[in-house]
Amino acid sequence: MCGIVGYIGNKDVDSVILVGLEKLEYRGYDSAGIAAIDEGKLFIRKRKGRILDLYSLVNGKPIRGKIGIGHTRWATHGKVTDENAHPHVDCTGSVAVVHNGIIENYIELKDELTSLGHKFVSETDSEVIPHLIEEYYEGNLLEAVLKTVNKLQGAFAFVVISAKEPDKMIGVRYASPLILGIGDDEMLFASDIPALLSHTKRIITLEDGDVVLATQKEYEIFDFEGRKRSRDVTVVTWEADMVEKEGFPHYMLKEIHEQPKVFVKNIASYIKEGEPQILKDFNLRRILLNKNEFFIQASGTSLHAGMIGTYMLQNLARIKSQAEYSSEFRYKNPVFDPRTLVVAISQSGETADTLAGVRLAKSNGLDVLSIVNVQESTIARESDYVIYINAGPEIGVASTKAYTAQLLILALLSLEIGYLKGFITDSQLADYVNELKALPEKMRSILAKEAQIQHIAEKFYSANNFMFLGRGINFPTALEGALKLKEISYIHATGYAAGEMKHGPIALVDENLPVVVVAPRTSVYSKTISNIQEVRARGGRIIIVATDGDENVREFGEEIIYIPETFEIFTPILSIIPLQLLAYHIAVLRNCDVDKPRNLAKSVTVE
């Protein structure tokens, strides 16, 4: 949530920051702003709305200078107004701050500062930061920032500039992500990697308690007590063009079409000599073979992947598995078994609730395996073991390629453990591996049906409600299909286990309700057909995702989307793709902002 960009160097600061903020739009925001120092004076431009609104404001009043900060705000404390947009300044108008996170003790701090004569102009918690810096400033910006951070409680990442010391920029991280980019005669701060890629690939992912003093040519890192710290520099493997649309009208559509390529890359990386070797590089095999339960905790789309992962682990590896929302797991006071492995799944590796779940597990002495996309993310660093999904940057808020990449990793993990435990024979493993290698082409064959799916969208886009049904391993597919539709089209959509429909949800079915049923040929196929007939008997408008060659379903479905046949355990990988495309085209037809849906953020970094 929210995006930060900071820059000091030789380039025009307004263009660097505005373009950087564009690269962070997927994080979710409702206002944007920029501050820069030119000829010893601090200039601020900020406005509610989109970055395009900020562009129009800046173009009317150009900002010069070689040092500046920018921000996209997702409202927490205070309404969406120009005054509540970042950057925020002190009473003197010389200190500017952009902040992500929540200052939990801001009311006490604001009262204290007000009693000392400070004047506040916003409703935000963030504004206390520049006023504290002003209060503590005695000729040294770093010292004022260090005194400030020791007064703050909560989660915060912020960047500070001051007209009194225009050659310095200071970044602080505590429980909210912040990255330092190291360029040639330039330094940058950002909330996420895409904002940096066009300038540098050399980064430091800051850790909690880091305070960075950056000038144009060098940087120093301190802890909150002012002691120097050392951090390793990482070279990012992502290319700048990975965060471009490459001719697609939206990032989401591009990322849907990238899924076969992601699979090819991961299969080449993780299958060696005909065997999944996802665990070999970090000697996890012995450890995992001694675990008697996998507890998966995740949020949103990642949880749906985790739910499917429990089917895979139980069926292929015969390991007791369960999945739980991170936001519930962290507060349930769970009973831990020392032989339980906690698995954290997060695209960004910064999801606040999932990170809290990691810390809860580790504080109770449990091993944690994380499945993430972003290297050197907080969850990756704090887990005992990490497997990367290698999906590349995912810009669209509604996750697509990261989801199927997570499913692939969970499938490979289950296969490897099942094989090592003796539940999968050599010949069975060869069959599974051959089928995994065939999946990218099968995914492409589904993507080739986009025109048909767009036609279905044209028939149903005006509906106000949808129901999604699935059974067995495709019950979570129904949940994910419903989530995709509601995220980007704002249609009320619900997903259910098809067998539970007659326990309540069937009351919703009438001649106006589109019902999407995920019904590939699996062990619960005949049961799902019975559920389809129950919907049909009540007049529901039925869209079926079925296996190629299944003529039986034509009797029941108003629309049929066929997917290639595959092993039951892999059907969720294929069955979700038509639902992603259906959600996308419905959202486009409803004139929704597909990549930046209202009220949503790509990475939820505050509770």
Side-chain angles (χ1 to χ4, degrees):
M1 289 182 173
C2 305
I4 286 174
V5 178
Y7 178 79
I8 181 170
N10 290 315
K11 297 170 183 171
D12 290 335
V13 70
D14 53 357
S15 61
V16 172
I17 291 175
L18 288 169
V19 172
L21 292 178
E22 285 183 332
K23 303 299 184 185
L24 299 179
E25 283 189 294
Y26 60 89
R27 294 179 66 87
Y29 73 103
D30 42 50
S31 60
I34 182 173
I37 299 170
D38 184 33
E39 296 182 353
K41 293 183 179 180
L42 180 67
F43 296 89
I44 306 284
R45 306 283 186 270
K46 58 183 184 176
R47 175 172 287 183
K48 68 177 182 180
R50 293 301 189 183
I51 290 174
L52 284 176
D53 300 311
L54 182 60
Y55 263 111
S56 63
L57 182 65
V58 170
N59 287 339
K61 302 174 183 177
I63 292 182
R64 309 302 179 191
K66 306 300 180 183
I67 178 173
I69 52 178
H71 190 266
T72 49
R73 176 182 185 247
W74 192 89
T76 54
H77 294 72
K79 297 177 182 178
V80 180
T81 65
D82 292 350
E83 292 78 14
N84 289 335
H86 296 223
H88 291 292
V89 299
D90 67 331
C91 294
T92 68
S94 60
V95 176
V97 173
V98 289
H99 162 241
N100 288 353
I102 294 176
I103 307 302
E104 294 175 354
N105 62 333
Y106 85 98
I107 294 176
E108 303 96 289
L109 293 172
K110 187 173 182 179
D111 289 344
E112 178 183 337
L113 288 161
T114 300
S115 70
L116 294 171
H118 290 263
K119 305 295 184 184
F120 287 79
V121 297
S122 80
E123 304 168 292
T124 70
D125 57 327
S126 306
E127 196 183 353
V128 300
I129 300 174
H131 287 282
L132 282 169
I133 294 171
E134 176 193 2
E135 185 66 27
Y136 291 129
Y137 187 77
E138 296 179 348
N140 188 307
L141 184 61
L142 176 62
E143 289 183 1
V145 171
L146 291 172
K147 289 178 180 177
T148 295
V149 295
N150 283 287
K151 294 278 286 187
L152 303 177
Q153 297 173 13
F156 47 88
F158 64 86
V159 180
V160 183
I161 58 173
S162 173
K164 295 179 180 178
E165 299 186 36
D167 60 341
K168 298 181 180 70
M169 180 169 58
I170 297 177
V172 177
R173 179 210 161 112
Y174 186 79
S176 189
L178 190 65
I179 298 168
L180 173 68
I182 305 165
D184 296 329
D185 289 336
E186 60 185 0
M187 297 287 170
L188 303 98
F189 286 105
S191 300
D192 210 347
I193 293 170
L196 305 174
L197 282 178
S198 59
H199 304 282
T200 183
K201 292 184 180 180
R202 298 175 66 232
I203 69 166
I204 296 175
T205 303
L206 301 178
E207 299 186 19
D208 284 353
D210 283 352
V211 179
V212 182
L213 174 63
T215 64
Q216 182 178 332
K217 296 181 179 294
E218 58 188 9
Y219 65 90
E220 291 181 287
I221 303 177
F222 304 88
D223 65 14
F224 282 5
E225 303 304 318
R227 296 176 295 238
K228 286 192 177 183
R229 283 181 164 180
S230 177
R231 295 279 179 252
D232 293 333
V233 176
T234 300
V235 178
V236 179
T237 57
W238 294 352
E239 298 295 335
D241 60 5
M242 289 182 175
V243 296
E244 302 300 332
K245 292 179 184 174
E246 297 180 359
F248 287 92
H250 298 95
Y251 284 111
M252 182 181 178
L253 187 61
K254 174 198 172 194
E255 288 156 6
I256 290 171
H257 281 267
E258 285 178 334
Q259 290 174 107
K261 181 171 65 176
V262 172
F263 263 58
V264 169
K265 179 179 180 179
N266 275 313
I267 288 168
S269 297
Y270 290 129
I271 295 180
K272 305 291 184 183
E273 300 174 357
E275 289 184 30
Q277 295 186 12
I278 202 165
L279 308 177
K280 189 173 183 179
D281 291 343
F282 41 81
N283 196 29
L284 251 182
R285 288 184 168 186
R286 179 183 57 80
I287 295 169
L288 295 196
L289 291 177
N290 289 321
K291 300 295 182 184
N292 61 10
E293 181 180 12
F294 279 35
F295 195 110
I296 299 172
Q297 55 104 9
S299 299
T301 287
S302 293
L303 177 69
H304 298 155
M307 293 172 70
I308 291 171
T310 65
Y311 287 87
M312 292 174 171
L313 286 162
Q314 290 176 168
N315 281 276
L316 296 174
R318 306 304 300 156
I319 290 178
K320 180 182 177 183
S321 306
Q322 58 179 310
E324 177 72 271
Y325 289 104
S326 296
S327 57
E328 293 297 314
F329 169 68
R330 62 183 293 196
Y331 293 116
K332 284 185 89 170
N333 193 23
V335 178
F336 291 113
D337 180 330
R339 293 180 63 190
T340 296
L341 178 77
V342 173
V343 180
I345 307 178
S346 169
Q347 188 281 138
S348 67
E350 301 291 349
T351 309
D353 286 318
T354 309
L355 176 58
V358 170
R359 291 170 175 169
L360 174 64
K362 289 179 67 64
S363 70
N364 282 271
L366 300 185
D367 289 327
V368 177
L369 167 68
S370 65
I371 297 173
V372 301
N373 190 31
V374 180
Q375 294 188 11
E376 294 300 309
S377 56
T378 306
I379 290 174
R381 292 198 315 270
E382 294 197 16
S383 300
D384 298 290
Y385 313 100
V386 59
I387 301 173
Y388 290 110
I389 67 171
N390 302 316
E394 187 177 65
I395 305 302
V397 167
S399 180
T400 52
K401 65 175 180 175
Y403 174 71
T404 51
Q406 289 166 350
L407 293 181
L408 174 60
I409 295 303
L410 288 162
L412 290 169
L413 183 65
S414 303
L415 283 169
E416 185 167 354
I417 297 172
Y419 179 64
L420 292 171
K421 284 192 165 189
F423 296 117
I424 298 173
T425 66
D426 288 344
S427 62
Q428 288 173 329
L429 182 67
D431 289 341
Y432 280 122
V433 168
N434 287 336
E435 182 60 20
L436 281 172
K437 291 179 177 179
L439 286 181
E441 189 55 40
K442 293 183 177 183
M443 297 167 89
R444 293 187 188 99
S445 72
I446 300 170
L447 293 169
K449 298 180 180 182
E450 186 173 353
Q452 177 206 352
I453 296 169
Q454 184 175 6
H455 170 71
I456 296 172
E458 289 168 355
K459 288 180 65 175
F460 292 97
Y461 79 93
S462 61
N464 293 318
N465 299 282
F466 265 74
M467 182 183 289
F468 288 73
L469 301 176
R471 290 192 81 132
I473 197 169
N474 280 294
F475 159 49
T477 305
L479 297 178
E480 176 61 13
L483 179 61
K484 285 283 97 51
L485 185 63
K486 72 181 81 172
E487 280 181 313
I488 61 173
S489 74
Y490 318 142
I491 292 173
H492 179 257
T494 54
Y496 293 105
E500 291 298 303
M501 184 178 54
K502 53 181 153 301
H503 296 282
I506 199 168
L508 299 171
V509 178
D510 62 20
E511 66 278 2
N512 297 313
L513 182 70
V515 180
V516 180
V517 186
V518 185
R521 283 203 185 96
T522 65
S523 58
V524 292
Y525 172 75
S526 62
K527 298 291 185 183
T528 308
I529 293 298
S530 296
N531 300 135
I532 292 173
Q533 290 174 319
E534 291 167 349
V535 174
R536 184 190 184 205
R538 288 154 181 85
R541 303 185 66 185
I542 303 171
I543 304 166
I544 302 175
V545 177
T547 302
D548 278 341
D550 184 357
E551 297 298 321
N552 184 39
V553 294
R554 291 190 180 278
E555 178 184 350
F556 311 115
E558 181 175 341
E559 295 288 346
I560 314 293
I561 306 170
Y562 284 108
I563 62 173
E565 186 169 4
T566 188
F567 294 156
E568 179 168 349
I569 210 76
F570 300 147
T571 53
I573 294 169
L574 299 182
S575 60
I576 192 57
I577 295 175
L579 306 188
Q580 293 170 344
L581 287 169
L582 182 65
Y584 170 79
H585 283 291
I586 287 175
V588 170
L589 289 165
R590 292 171 70 97
N591 294 314
C592 297
D593 193 342
V594 172
D595 288 331
K596 303 181 290 294
R598 68 188 184 202
N599 302 332
L600 295 183
K602 181 68 175 173
S603 179
V604 181
T605 57
V606 296
E607 184 179 357

